[in-house]
Amino acid sequence: MELPAVASREEWREARIALLQEEKAATALLDRIAERRRALPMVEITKPYTFVGRDGEATLAELFDGRRQLIVYHFMWMGDAGCTSCSMVADNMGHPAHLGATDTNLVMVSRAPWPDIDRFQKRMGWTTPWYSSDGTDFNFDFHVTNDPEVAPIQYNFRNEAELREHGLDYNLSGDNPGVSVFLRDGDRIFHTYSAYARGCETLVGTYTYLDLTPLGRQRYINEFPHHDTYESGGGHCH
């Protein structure tokens, strides 16, 4: 990779100030997008879902853990382990105290048997609550798992034809990454937001740090292995 040009301190400062104006414009745009995101209409969830976690079975309402807001990261399961890309997201999940103080709970959900999830979570050392949706419609209803025998194919708000048109055949079957947000109002639960694919990128704090550097991200997210396999040259998923 070609390195940046060498300049005097004065030249660097002039270029930095020019970039700062673009950064401020981008921040203002993101503020407006966040405002529109908060103003999205919401859909009431009436279908009962049952998950399995470390403490046994749990309903969707119980995933809130007494809080008003719930963020669910839809964690892809690949064979006998969690997807490396989703593992990168999980690695970047911080201390839960700050979310808890703002009446928000964060959990992960995968379409895999609970014993497999439990084993893998212990291996990776994560503490974020993780639940199995195996045997339920949850993944299909929130469009992170595609199986035409169960439901019409849809991912990232594109149907099967649109996915094929954009060369996204790998999204046509099996699990895909996503994040969904829910709000609890008394006993009622509402779905307020979902994002998929690169829409989940803001959850990866590693990229936020690397974007500050001259060498940048260096790897696409599926090129980062499980964090405990670097010395052995761990692989990656699609």
Side-chain angles (χ1 to χ4, degrees):
M1 178 178 176
E2 187 175 349
L3 298 180
V6 178
S8 67
R9 176 59 62 183
E10 291 73 20
E11 291 170 326
W12 175 86
R13 187 174 189 277
E14 181 179 349
R16 178 65 188 94
I17 290 174
L19 177 61
L20 179 60
Q21 305 314 308
E22 293 188 49
E23 290 176 336
K24 288 183 175 181
T27 298
L29 175 59
L30 290 174
D31 286 344
R32 293 194 295 273
I33 291 173
E35 184 177 1
R36 292 187 61 186
R37 185 183 296 117
R38 291 191 296 271
L40 283 172
M42 55 190 188
V43 178
E44 186 167 9
I45 304 299
T46 58
K47 179 185 285 190
Y49 296 105
T50 301
F51 306 89
V52 178
R54 182 148 286 116
D55 296 323
E57 291 190 351
T59 64
L60 181 60
E62 289 171 326
L63 266 56
F64 282 77
D65 196 24
R67 299 178 176 91
R68 290 201 67 199
Q69 299 188 129
L70 171 68
I71 301 172
V72 172
Y73 182 72
H74 302 283
F75 198 119
M76 297 168 60
W77 196 261
M78 310 291 290
D80 61 352
C83 161
T84 55
S85 300
C86 291
S87 295
M88 179 69 154
V89 176
D91 284 338
N92 281 270
M93 292 178 179
H95 197 286
H98 307 298
L99 286 175
T102 49
D103 219 7
T104 303
N105 199 35
L106 170 65
V107 304
M108 302 186 293
V109 172
S110 292
R111 192 176 60 98
W114 165 248
D116 292 348
I117 292 174
D118 183 43
R119 169 186 50 77
F120 185 66
Q121 184 172 25
K122 289 175 179 175
R123 167 190 157 186
M124 302 305 284
W126 298 321
T127 58
T128 300
W130 199 350
Y131 295 89
S132 168
S133 62
D134 193 33
T136 76
D137 294 334
F138 187 75
N139 278 47
F140 298 98
D141 290 347
F142 291 92
H143 306 292
V144 289
T145 298
N146 277 322
D147 182 343
E149 295 186 4
V150 177
I153 291 175
Q154 178 182 313
Y155 183 64
N156 204 11
F157 306 101
R158 289 171 171 161
N159 61 27
E160 180 176 358
E162 291 168 329
L163 289 168
R164 292 188 186 279
E165 179 184 351
H166 287 84
L168 301 173
D169 291 22
Y170 51 82
N171 290 139
L172 294 174
S173 62
D175 293 345
N176 294 289
V179 59
S180 294
V181 181
F182 303 87
L183 176 70
R184 185 174 60 84
D185 185 19
D187 294 331
R188 302 173 73 189
I189 296 174
F190 300 89
H191 173 222
T192 65
Y193 181 77
S194 282
Y196 308 93
R198 291 196 67 183
C200 303
E201 213 167 76
T202 55
L203 305 178
V204 185
T206 297
Y207 272 169
T208 303
Y209 285 103
L210 290 175
D211 281 345
L212 301 176
T213 70
L215 298 184
R217 300 183 177 189
Q218 302 175 53
R219 303 184 184 192
Y220 190 63
I221 192 167
N222 65 2
E223 296 174 328
F224 288 91
H226 292 129
H227 65 237
D228 63 348
T229 64
Y230 272 105
E231 292 185 2
S232 62
H236 57 271
C237 64
H238 71 265

